[in-house]
Every structure is written in C-alpha cells, then in structure tokens.
Amino acid sequence: MSNQIKYLLDEEKLPKTWYNLAADLPEPAPPVLHPGAGQPVGPDDLAPLFPMALIAQEVSAEREIEIPEPVREIYRQWRPSPLHRARRLEEALDTPARIYYKYEGVSPAGSHKPNTSVAQAFYNKEEGVKRLTTETGAGQWGSSLAYAGNLFGLEVEVYMVRISYDQKPYRRALMETYGAQCFASPSDRTEFGKAALAKDPDSPGSLGIAISEAVELAAQRDDTKYALGSVLNHVLLHQSVIGVEAMAQMEMADDYPDIIIGCAGGGSNFAGLAFPFLGAKLRGGADVRIIASEPAACPSLTRGTYAYDFGDTGNLTPLVKMYTLGSSFIPPGFHAGGLRYHGMAGMVSHIKDLGLIEAAAYQQIGCFEAAVKFARSEGIVPAPESSHAIRAVFEQAEQCKREGTAKTILFNLSGHGHFDMAAYTDYFANKLEDRDYDEASLQTALAALPQVAAE
Amino acid sequence: MSNQIKYLLDEEKLPKTWYNLAADLPEPAPPVLHPGAGQPVGPDDLAPLFPMALIAQEVSAEREIEIPEPVREIYRQWRPSPLHRARRLEEALDTPARIYYKYEGVSPAGSHKPNTSVAQAFYNKEEGVKRLTTETGAGQWGSSLAYAGNLFGLEVEVYMVRISYDQKPYRRALMETYGAQCFASPSDRTEFGKAALAKDPDSPGSLGIAISEAVELAAQRDDTKYALGSVLNHVLLHQSVIGVEAMAQMEMADDYPDIIIGCAGGGSNFAGLAFPFLGAKLRGGADVRIIASEPAACPSLTRGTYAYDFGDTGNLTPLVKMYTLGSSFIPPGFHAGGLRYHGMAGMVSHIKDLGLIEAAAYQQIGCFEAAVKFARSEGIVPAPESSHAIRAVFEQAEQCKREGTAKTILFNLSGHGHFDMAAYTDYFANKLEDRDYDEASLQTALAALPQVAAE
C-alpha cells in the first residue's frame, strides 16, 4: 500500500445515480401513517408540502435513482469530495488500525447538507415552486437550503429557533449572504407563531415551533413548499452520493472498511456513508460493521423505543415508526445542535431493529477531546456533531491496539467547526459539562407516545 | 471549450519546486539595509531570527527551489488546490469575460497562509529550533503558524493585538485548538510589552508592538526563532506554489489569463499567484496584465512612496525599499485586517516600480457588495481581504462587457470568510462606512521616513 493520504475521484467519476437502500432490504420498512386514521399516507397527503418528484423518491424501491444533470453540475463544484487516510492520527493513537475519513466540510456551506438541499431546490423549481420554507436550529440546514435555493432562483424563508437566532448571529449572516430571509421563531408571521408568542412573549422557541411555522406557511400558499434537512427517505437517498463515492475511493486505496462510523442526529450523514456499503453486503458483498454514534444527552437509538411517533414536537406531521425518545422529550443543553432530535430516520431505525447496524452514545467532553486530538493530527477542526463519530473511531482504534488487529475504519467527517468555535472556546475554558438526559422526563415522553391501531 | 467548472491536478502533479521571480527580473531588487549603518544586511544579521535555510532563500537567485518532501507531504492534504471557472458569476455579471479563480480557502486554516507556515515550521525544525514566536492581527497568520508548528512538534507563541484578542475569541480558539499559546499584546512577558503597559495599562495594542514582542523573545532565546507571514522574499517564494499549480490548471482549461488579479496587503497571496505567470512573460512567454488590489484606507501601492522604510511600527527591523505609507501610518478602521499593513513586500514594490504590474484601490462597501454577489453565484463566502480582488475582477469584467471583449481573468480567492461573518453582519446592517485614509497623517508619516545614505 502506498503512503498516499488523499483519494480524489476525477470529476467524470462523480456518481450519476443515488443509491436507494430500500431495494436491498430483507423486509420493507413499516409505512408512514396518518396520525388520525392510522392508515398509510398516500402521495396526495404529502403534496401540499413536497413536490411530486420527492414524494416519489420517498416511496421508491428502485436501487439506483438518476441524479439530474443540473444537480450534478452544482455538485461538481466540490464533489467528488476527498477521502483521506488519517496517517498522522493513526500515529498519534499508536494504533495498528487504518483510519480513513470522507470529508464533507468542503461544500460551500461547510457540511454534507447541500447534497440534499441542492436536489430539493432543483425538484421544487422544476415543479414551479417559488418559495421554500424551513426551520433551523443551529443554522447548518438553514444556510445549506439558503445556498441551494439561491442557485435555483427560489426564495427561502428560514424559521430559526429564537435562542439560536440571538446567540448565533453568524449563521444568520451566512443565510443572508446567500439571499435568504431568516426569522426568529416564534414569529408573528404565522398563526402558530402568534399563538406561541401570546402564551409567552419571551419564548426562546424550539425546533418544534419552528417546524410548525414553516409547515403552516407551506400548506397555506400554493407557490410555497416545505423542505426538511434529514430523517426522510429522500434526504437519505440524496446523501448516498457520499457512500457511492467512498466505495470507489476505497477501491483506489486498495482497501475496504471493516468498520463504518457516522454520527447520527436525524440520521442523514450516517446513512449517506453507510447505506451503499450495507447494500453491497446485503447483496452478498463483504461484511462490514456499521456503528451510529449519538450523544448521550439525546440517545434515540440506544435508549429510545422503536414505535410510531410524530416527527415534530407540535405533532403536526404523519407518524413514522422510529427509535424515539418521545416527541415531547427535551434534551439537556449540549453543543452539537445538529444531534438534538428526539427521533431517528425511519430507514435507519428499521435497520437497527433488524440488527444490521449498532449504536453507541457518548458524552460531549470526550467528543471534544477527540476532536482536538483530531485537529492537531489532521489539521481540520471538526463540527461538534462530527466529533461524536471521531470519539467512536478512537474507541475502535484503541481496541485494535489492545487486540493487535489492523482493522480498516472509515468514518464520515460530516462538517467543519468554523462556525462552532464558541463551543471550542467553552471546552478550553473548562465550561463544558457532561449531561445525561433526565430519566423521568424520558419516561414521561415515552408514556405520551401516540396510540396506533395498526401496531 | 468544455463546460467544466473545476480543474483539479492529480496529487502527483503537486509542484516539486517553488518558483523564484528573482531569477527572471530585468534588474535585481534593491538590497535590505541595516537601519544604522545603511549597509546591506548579511546572513549573520538575520541568524538570530531565522534559520539559515530561510535566510538562503531570502537572497537566492535560483529560479527553482526544491520543496522538501515533508512539506509536500503536508501540502498534499489540500493541494493542489482547485481552480474554478466562475460560470455562474459570469452569467450574473452578463460579461463576455471568462473568469477563473484559484481557491486557497481549502487549506485547514482556511487561507493561503499555510503554504508558507508549513515550510517555515519545517526549516526551523530541521535546524533544531524548539519554539516559534509571531504576531497576529485578525488571527489568520497566527492560526496558520499554530497549525504548522503543531505538525512539526514546535511550540508556537502568538502575540495577538489586544483589541483583536478581545474582539475575536474564535480565531484565538482556533490557535488553541492547534495547541499554540496565544497572548494578548502588549503582554507582561517582554520588556517591550511591559514598557507599553507601563505607558498605557489599557493599551489596545498594535501590530507594531506585537512584532516587537515576538522579535524580542526570539532574539533573546537560543531555542526560539521568529516567523513572519508575508512581505519577505522567502514567504513570497513559498506562496508561488499557487501560481505554479494555476499555470498547469489553465493549461487543462485550454486557456491563458489576459489579466491576473490578487488582493495585496503585505503582498504574499498576490505574488504567489502572479509571479510564475510574470516570470513566464519575462522569459518571452505570453503577455499578461497583473493588477494588485488594495484597500483605499491603506493604499501603499497607489498612494505610498517608493523608499527605504522599517517593516514594523517599532522600527526594530532592517530597512526594505518598498512602497510605503510610512511605518508610523495608522489606517482608519476597516474590516480586512490582513490588508492593514503600511508597506508592501520589497519584491512586489520593485516590480511595481519597474512598471511590470498595476495597482488599484477600493473602498470596503463596494468590496462587500462584490463579495455577496460572488457568494450568491459561486457559493463560497470570501474573506474580506479576498473581496478586494473580487471588486477589481468586477471592474475588469464590466469593461469587457462595455467593449464586447472576451478576456480571460484569473484571480486568487485567498481565503474563505467563515471567521469573518461579523463583518458581513455589519454590512447587512448598513453599519459599514467607506473610509479614506487621513491625508495629513499620511504626510506626517511620510515625512518621518528614515534618511538612508545609500539612496
């Protein structure tokens, strides 16, 4: 094996198709249900919120779905993204393991999110949509949709959780730089927002309220649709471009992963890297362990229940069968804003239930320790979300050292931390705390799960 | 010509040598002088501050200087950096011009600075140095040296201008993430700092004071040297990797620049892109217009005098013949911290004096307007420094439109603006002002230029 540290694919090797895991599953994932009737939802139920092309992708069982040329044209600015061999990190850990990472921080918005925001903007534009609404917490998704909407001439309205809006003005500035409008949520632009403000004029907001505002506006206006940055099947599909590229790059490296690791909030960056490898395994290819790494403060896969639940706190969405902490669960404060979701993508939950993947949960201080060690070895400062993947990689690399086995570990470095330096500042000032979720709150939230006749 | 938008060089095409413009100049640049004696400085005079390998590069007339393999090994993580065709920007400007940009924001520190920090750290390590000191204003250079020093196991002490230290905690966090120590300057760690604090305990600091602190410590300690991020010949040499790559990439694009543009503070990113093309022209190759773009608030090339001057405000350095506003000149406040230098690299000044390059100065609001238009077209948010290059590109592209000529414009996008979103926030809030330098202050500073017998 050479001492190469970076594997780049030629531009002409940019994938022409996304990979859809549904085609290779031993059994299909449970259907999405109407909250009231308990019946599977149909395309018409989703049409007010999403363009038909995305609804079709949501339920498709085709293995390969063509990436439209205008989407590839934009992907080409930063894709294929690099795959790096982390040789200096291996040395620092003194491990016999070979560690590779796929780096998604090279996108204009600095994370994997544009892989789907560009696709979603394209399909919406194709179907004559004029405006997209969405919610954002820390701002990664909002800025990625702002970027993509602007490229296709779509207006983008982002409802940003009030406390983040006030505390993270730089993410907001990024959205405005891309031409989007960013509103603090709750806002006085929606009935739902007005009601929330009437109850509490100083409401700090929540992702649940922001989703409700964005959904309300999309449902109301004919020229407006809603966009979601994770969880849904079509989002996971678009992210598969990560894993399809990584398979070709591992071949360039003349190596193959024994272990694949990704951090998991809603599940999209994890699925994006892992699904193509899992699909190959399900079709009779090489075995691979797949580990989802999540925060101990919001541990849906490791402490949640596999049950039908709402996707939002406001309980406006259809019901998805997923690993969930309950839609009313509120995690304690921690710095990885992108991992603060109460549930997990239905497809990721399904394969966890089938025993096809593992999950592990980590406290934030250990994740920042790993992130700093990574930055000092590889030069790249990871996003706090991605640091959860790195923490899990360290654990596997240390086990390889103890056992004297030279396993190949591949992980997704889903984004850089340039917009998250406040978190690093707190870490260096010893201001971070490890926080467990509150067990009593979890039990209350789980007890409030909706009753579903079909189960 | 294809519709390609990104030109990547294979890793094996990473340049093996830096390019040294001194080899092709029609006449050599004036020597660097002792401040007292007025005699040219020799290697021994510089030895307390720099390792011999860098001193040798400072005065070398060799055209090609080998890039050491350990430096190339680190370069390979992000180099060759991409060269992009800005097709969406061309459309937005409705110009017949073809616009290309070399993107240096892909480095771990987010700018071109690691091209030289890695090389400087390598040579210092080779000569047994244990510790590097440096100054930083906004923090781009400090974080790049922190990154490089860490990779070679060197301690790095950064003296950061007090007001930036207080106002820009995130750049400081980045330096600490890379393991460097960052001190507010003036500090109580040096005689010069103590004297400054005695005079004014609340001193906001200045680049001049910070340089003096870093130089004092390096001169005092046997195991410590000093590192500078621009201006010097060896820094410009290391940055030439940008232009050497760009020449190969323009060949891939089957095109050649009619106009090359870079922003210029100390001159290193400008020189890095332009010098290899200028060298080719001087050796009988294709003609090319070269434009340095500088801030109207600190316009050394367009309003300065070509004269011997000190490199620092404290007047501790040797004398360099350069375009200067006077070492006591203090520019008004503006957001491109990397362009706030009173002088210009000696080599850049020399070729300006010879008429081989042009210069233009721009106010900041127009630069931010251009930067936002660029971000909305190309997706990348430029550093405020780089926005000055973009403003100059727009001017040329608009002239092409007026004249109906399809010129090829190549510019250096020297860094991203992820750490500079406060500046964008101010821009969107209409809080920015265009500020001219004060003419009376300039005349006072120029009147205070040192008298040099040799002139």
Side-chain angles (χ1 to χ4, degrees):
Chain A
M1 225 164 287
S2 78
N3 69 343
Q4 209 170 338
I5 57 165
K6 188 176 62 177
Y7 299 90
L8 290 176
L9 290 174
D10 288 343
E11 200 168 315
E12 64 266 31
K13 297 234 177 99
L14 176 67
K16 293 196 163 58
T17 56
W18 290 301
Y19 167 73
N20 181 9
L21 182 65
D24 291 314
L25 285 175
E27 52 185 276
V32 172
L33 302 181
H34 267 291
Q39 296 298 312
V41 298
D44 289 350
D45 299 312
L46 298 172
L49 295 186
F50 302 108
M52 290 314 288
L54 292 178
I55 294 170
Q57 290 180 356
E58 194 63 22
V59 296
S60 170
E62 291 290 312
R63 181 174 291 126
E64 295 187 327
I65 293 178
E66 192 183 336
I67 306 176
E69 201 44 49
V71 173
R72 293 182 80 235
E73 173 80 18
I74 293 170
Y75 276 1
R76 285 196 291 145
Q77 189 173 351
W78 74 93
R79 307 209 70 87
S81 69
L83 183 131
H84 293 271
R85 170 87 182 266
R87 290 189 178 273
R88 289 189 297 262
L89 179 65
E90 293 167 14
E91 271 175 45
L93 295 174
D94 189 25
T95 177
R98 291 186 298 279
I99 303 175
Y100 297 84
Y101 57 98
K102 180 75 167 162
Y103 184 38
E104 291 294 311
V106 294
S107 83
S111 78
H112 64 293
K113 295 284 187 190
N115 295 332
T116 186
S117 69
V118 170
Q120 292 189 45
F122 167 76
Y123 290 116
N124 275 284
K125 181 71 178 181
E126 282 284 287
E127 298 188 23
V129 174
K130 297 266 181 290
R131 189 183 301 108
L132 291 175
T133 62
T134 198
E135 72 290 334
T136 201
Q140 289 96 333
W141 170 243
S143 52
S144 297
L145 191 69
Y147 159 74
N150 168 66
L151 291 179
F152 287 102
L154 292 167
E155 290 176 37
V156 174
E157 285 184 15
V158 181
Y159 290 82
M160 187 171 188
V161 175
R162 159 66 72 182
I163 191 164
S164 297
Y165 183 91
D166 291 337
Q167 288 178 352
K168 305 198 177 211
Y170 299 156
R171 280 277 181 193
R172 177 157 44 101
L174 184 58
M175 293 182 231
E176 289 173 358
T177 300
Y178 290 138
Q181 286 187 286
C182 181
F183 302 102
S185 167
S187 79
D188 59 4
R189 298 172 57 84
T190 65
E191 295 311 312
F192 197 91
K194 282 179 203 160
L197 286 173
K199 239 188 268 175
D200 177 6
D202 299 321
S203 168
S206 74
L207 214 48
I209 296 172
I211 293 177
S212 300
E213 291 204 274
V215 166
E216 179 184 321
L217 287 166
Q220 255 172 21
R221 302 188 228 160
D222 277 350
D223 60 357
T224 303
K225 302 269 184 213
Y226 168 71
L228 191 64
S230 189
V231 176
L232 298 177
N233 292 344
H234 68 263
V235 177
L236 275 48
L237 174 76
H238 302 154
Q239 293 297 352
S240 70
V241 68
I242 301 171
V244 173
E245 287 177 6
M247 291 190 83
Q249 287 165 312
M250 289 304 298
E251 203 175 313
M252 284 175 75
D254 196 18
D255 208 346
Y256 198 86
D258 299 301
I259 303 170
I260 289 176
I261 293 171
C263 66
S268 77
N269 96 75
F270 165 77
L273 178 64
F275 281 9
F277 289 91
L278 177 58
K281 170 179 162 175
L282 291 170
R283 294 192 305 276
D287 194 21
V288 56
R289 269 182 77 194
I290 298 175
I291 305 170
S293 177
E294 62 181 10
C298 195
S300 59
L301 282 170
T302 52
R303 298 298 175 95
T305 296
Y306 188 48
Y308 273 100
D309 196 6
F310 293 98
D312 67 323
T313 317
N315 293 358
L316 298 176
T317 68
L319 293 169
V320 176
K321 191 162 185 186
M322 59 183 173
Y323 278 89
T324 179
L325 302 163
S327 65
S328 59
F329 175 81
I330 304 286
F334 64 99
H335 268 294
L339 305 182
R340 291 177 63 80
Y341 189 63
H342 70 276
M344 182 54 61
M347 190 85 89
V348 173
S349 297
H350 179 56
I351 59 173
K352 172 69 166 56
D353 184 56
L354 293 177
L356 296 174
I357 62 169
E358 303 165 40
Y362 299 97
Q363 291 282 5
Q364 67 177 349
I365 293 178
C367 292
F368 275 98
E369 275 170 15
V372 168
K373 192 156 198 168
F374 181 85
R376 289 182 185 175
S377 303
E378 297 297 311
I380 300 167
V381 179
E385 291 80 8
S386 316
S387 76
H388 287 72
I390 297 172
R391 180 66 192 78
V393 168
F394 279 28
E395 195 165 284
Q396 295 302 320
E398 282 154 11
Q399 193 173 333
C400 284
K401 185 178 173 181
R402 282 192 302 274
E403 294 173 356
T405 52
K407 288 193 178 147
T408 298
I409 303 170
L410 167 64
F411 77 97
N412 200 3
L413 185 60
S414 55
H416 64 61
H418 296 172
F419 293 104
D420 305 285
M421 295 312 294
Y424 282 88
T425 303
D426 286 352
Y427 169 71
F428 287 117
N430 291 316
K431 283 187 191 161
L432 291 192
E433 283 175 31
D434 281 344
R435 290 196 190 155
D436 263 314
Y437 63 91
D438 179 60
E439 184 65 37
S441 304
L442 173 61
Q443 293 310 326
T444 306
L446 290 177
L449 283 176
Q451 298 301 312
V452 175
E455 278 193 291
Chain B
M1 226 165 285
S2 78
N3 69 342
Q4 208 169 338
I5 57 164
K6 187 177 61 177
Y7 299 90
L8 290 176
L9 290 174
D10 288 341
E11 200 168 313
E12 65 265 31
K13 296 232 177 100
L14 176 67
K16 294 197 164 58
T17 56
W18 290 301
Y19 168 73
N20 181 9
L21 181 65
D24 292 313
L25 286 174
E27 52 183 276
V32 173
L33 301 181
H34 267 290
Q39 296 299 310
V41 298
D44 289 349
D45 299 312
L46 298 171
L49 296 186
F50 303 107
M52 291 313 290
L54 291 177
I55 294 170
Q57 290 180 355
E58 194 62 22
V59 296
S60 170
E62 292 289 312
R63 181 172 291 123
E64 294 186 328
I65 293 177
E66 191 183 336
I67 306 176
E69 201 45 49
V71 173
R72 293 182 80 234
E73 172 81 19
I74 293 169
Y75 277 0
R76 284 196 291 146
Q77 188 173 351
W78 74 93
R79 306 210 70 88
S81 69
L83 183 133
H84 294 271
R85 170 87 183 266
R87 289 188 178 274
R88 289 189 297 263
L89 179 65
E90 293 167 14
E91 271 175 47
L93 295 175
D94 188 25
T95 177
R98 291 187 298 279
I99 304 175
Y100 297 84
Y101 57 98
K102 180 75 169 163
Y103 184 38
E104 291 293 311
V106 293
S107 84
S111 78
H112 64 292
K113 295 283 186 189
N115 295 333
T116 185
S117 70
V118 170
Q120 292 189 45
F122 166 77
Y123 290 116
N124 275 285
K125 180 70 178 181
E126 283 284 287
E127 299 189 22
V129 174
K130 297 269 182 288
R131 189 183 300 109
L132 291 174
T133 62
T134 198
E135 72 290 331
T136 201
Q140 288 96 332
W141 169 242
S143 52
S144 297
L145 192 68
Y147 159 74
N150 168 66
L151 291 180
F152 287 102
L154 293 167
E155 289 176 37
V156 174
E157 284 184 16
V158 181
Y159 291 82
M160 186 171 188
V161 176
R162 159 66 73 183
I163 191 164
S164 296
Y165 183 91
D166 292 337
Q167 287 178 352
K168 305 198 177 208
Y170 299 156
R171 279 276 181 192
R172 178 157 43 101
L174 184 57
M175 293 181 232
E176 289 173 358
T177 300
Y178 289 139
Q181 286 187 286
C182 181
F183 303 102
S185 168
S187 78
D188 59 4
R189 299 172 56 83
T190 65
E191 294 311 312
F192 198 91
K194 282 179 203 160
L197 287 173
K199 238 188 269 175
D200 177 6
D202 298 322
S203 167
S206 74
L207 215 47
I209 296 172
I211 293 177
S212 301
E213 290 203 274
V215 166
E216 179 185 321
L217 287 166
Q220 256 172 20
R221 302 187 227 160
D222 279 348
D223 60 357
T224 303
K225 302 270 183 212
Y226 169 71
L228 191 64
S230 188
V231 177
L232 298 177
N233 292 343
H234 68 264
V235 177
L236 276 48
L237 174 75
H238 302 154
Q239 293 296 353
S240 70
V241 68
I242 301 171
V244 174
E245 287 177 6
M247 291 191 83
Q249 288 165 313
M250 289 304 299
E251 204 175 314
M252 284 175 74
D254 196 17
D255 208 344
Y256 198 87
D258 298 300
I259 304 170
I260 289 175
I261 293 172
C263 66
S268 77
N269 96 75
F270 165 77
L273 178 64
F275 280 10
F277 289 92
L278 176 59
K281 170 179 164 175
L282 291 170
R283 294 192 305 276
D287 194 20
V288 56
R289 269 182 78 193
I290 299 175
I291 305 171
S293 177
E294 61 180 13
C298 194
S300 58
L301 282 170
T302 51
R303 298 299 174 96
T305 297
Y306 187 49
Y308 273 100
D309 195 7
F310 293 99
D312 67 324
T313 318
N315 293 358
L316 297 176
T317 69
L319 294 169
V320 177
K321 191 161 184 186
M322 58 181 173
Y323 278 90
T324 179
L325 302 163
S327 65
S328 59
F329 174 81
I330 305 285
F334 64 99
H335 267 293
L339 305 182
R340 292 177 62 80
Y341 189 63
H342 70 275
M344 182 54 61
M347 190 86 87
V348 174
S349 297
H350 178 55
I351 59 174
K352 172 69 167 55
D353 184 56
L354 293 177
L356 296 173
I357 62 170
E358 304 166 40
Y362 299 97
Q363 291 284 4
Q364 67 177 349
I365 293 178
C367 292
F368 276 99
E369 275 169 15
V372 168
K373 192 157 196 168
F374 181 85
R376 289 182 185 175
S377 303
E378 297 297 312
I380 300 167
V381 179
E385 291 80 9
S386 316
S387 76
H388 287 73
I390 297 172
R391 181 65 191 77
V393 168
F394 279 27
E395 196 165 284
Q396 295 302 320
E398 282 154 13
Q399 192 173 333
C400 284
K401 184 178 175 179
R402 283 192 302 275
E403 294 173 357
T405 52
K407 288 193 178 147
T408 297
I409 304 170
L410 167 65
F411 76 97
N412 199 3
L413 185 59
S414 55
H416 65 60
H418 295 172
F419 294 103
D420 305 286
M421 295 312 295
Y424 282 87
T425 302
D426 286 352
Y427 169 71
F428 286 118
N430 291 317
K431 283 187 191 162
L432 291 192
E433 282 175 32
D434 281 344
R435 291 197 189 153
D436 263 314
Y437 64 91
D438 180 60
E439 184 64 37
S441 303
L442 172 61
Q443 293 310 326
T444 306
L446 290 177
L449 283 176
Q451 298 301 311
V452 175
E455 278 192 292

